[in-house]
Amino acid sequence: MKSGSVSLLGRPNVGKSTLFNDLVGAKLASVSPKPQTTRNRITGIVTRPQGQIVFWDLPGIHKSFGVMNKRMVSIALSGLDSVDLGLWVIDAARDSQVDEFMLGHIKNRKPSLILVINKIDLIRHDDLFPMVDLYQKAYDFKEIVPVSALKKKNVEELEQSIFKHLPDGEPLFPEDSLTDVPERALVEEMIREKLFLYMKQEIPYSTAVHVDFWEEKKNLISIQAEIWVEKDSQKGIVIGKGGEMIKKIGSQGRLDIEKLLGCKIFLELSVKVKEGWREKPALLDELGIRP
Ligand SMILES: Nc1nc2c(ncn2[C@@H]2O[C@H](COP(=O)(O)OP(=O)(O)OP(=O)(O)O)[C@@H](O)[C@H]2O)c(=O)[nH]1
Ligand SMILES: [Mg+2]
């Protein structure tokens, strides 16, 4: 049997979380067109007759400013040291030059890596060859695998490549496990994704979601969650005219949560001002964003 942990590494917005959800076969991670959507590590467990893979979706590696972003990047960099194999994910349409910032981190640590060229649906097939050539010269990858996470193209082949390079070992989790992330944290992610999808400009970056009530009764789970904003002026924007925005976030969030937990959900959202929460270590701890 093969068994090991596999991290998804790379710049923000290259499609790590989209690919993670494909590989795991369930929507656990938030996905949005905005960079820096993922803030924390999410694990997803895949068990096959060949063995077990524990995937880690991670924040993007970027030049970071501010307390929260520095924490996000150190969480992301843990995916270079503490795993059996890394998937360095790049964007076929944008990474025609090797990212020296990423490469610097990689060359320092020399992990086992598969290069995943994602978003191949956006380029011509012929444009792949020079890219493969360039990256092959930059690092000694175990393999280079082109995929389209959005179109679910070549994802099964990627899984086979991963198994090939995993160490032998016994599974760490029971075979029906999907994740070891607490359900509350997954619920927070599903709601936060809607903030990233529907709110404009800087607003999503100023928000966080914190579940503060959870009650299970027969086939219904009642959940109350706070949406944190940094300033009083942002509160009205999240609520929207006549409460329209927060209603939309709640109803779309609820659909994802019901799918994830497999039961009816009663979801109540409120907005709370937590002055400058992104710079406050104690509040980041409370959100579970810990390096
Ligand atoms: N065309 C195309 N778009 C993709 C593909 N994979 C992901 N995307 C899009 O790229 C955007 C970013 O996807 P994410 O999965 O959130 O990217 P990420 O790397 O997790 O981003 P961060 O969490 O911010 O680091 C979304 O709009 C996705 O729909 C792909 O294969 N093709
Ligand atoms: Mg992500």
Side-chain angles (χ1 to χ4, degrees), residues 10 52 65 78 103 106 110 114 147 159 202 211 278 285:
Q52 188 174 71
F65 305 96
S78 70
L103 195 64
I106 285 166
K110 300 200 176 54
I114 291 177
V147 303
E159 187 191 284
E202 278 301 301
V211 167
R278 272 192 286 184
D285 285 349

Side-chain angles (χ1 to χ4, degrees), residues 13 16-18 29-31 37-38 57-60:
N13 216 38
K16 299 180 296 300
S17 300
T18 309
S30 326
V31 168
T37 302
T38 304
D57 185 34
L58 294 166

Side-chain angles (χ1 to χ4, degrees), residues 164-221:
K164 219 170 16 181
H165 299 289
L166 270 196
D168 292 331
E170 289 305 310
L172 295 173
F173 294 91
E175 63 178 81
D176 57 350
S177 311
L178 181 59
T179 181
D180 63 353
V181 177
E183 284 178 341
R184 272 169 190 255
L186 295 174
V187 164
E188 290 168 355
E189 281 299 292
M190 292 301 105
I191 301 167
R192 208 172 56 75
E193 182 192 70
K194 305 305 171 283
L195 289 157
F196 267 74
L197 289 174
Y198 307 140
M199 305 297 310
K200 293 204 176 72
Q201 285 142 359
E202 278 301 301
I203 298 291
Y205 297 101
S206 296
T207 62
V209 177
H210 189 256
V211 167
D212 59 357
F213 177 84
W214 185 291
E215 190 180 54
E216 301 191 17
K217 268 190 207 153
K218 281 189 196 151
N219 292 328
L220 179 81
I221 303 179

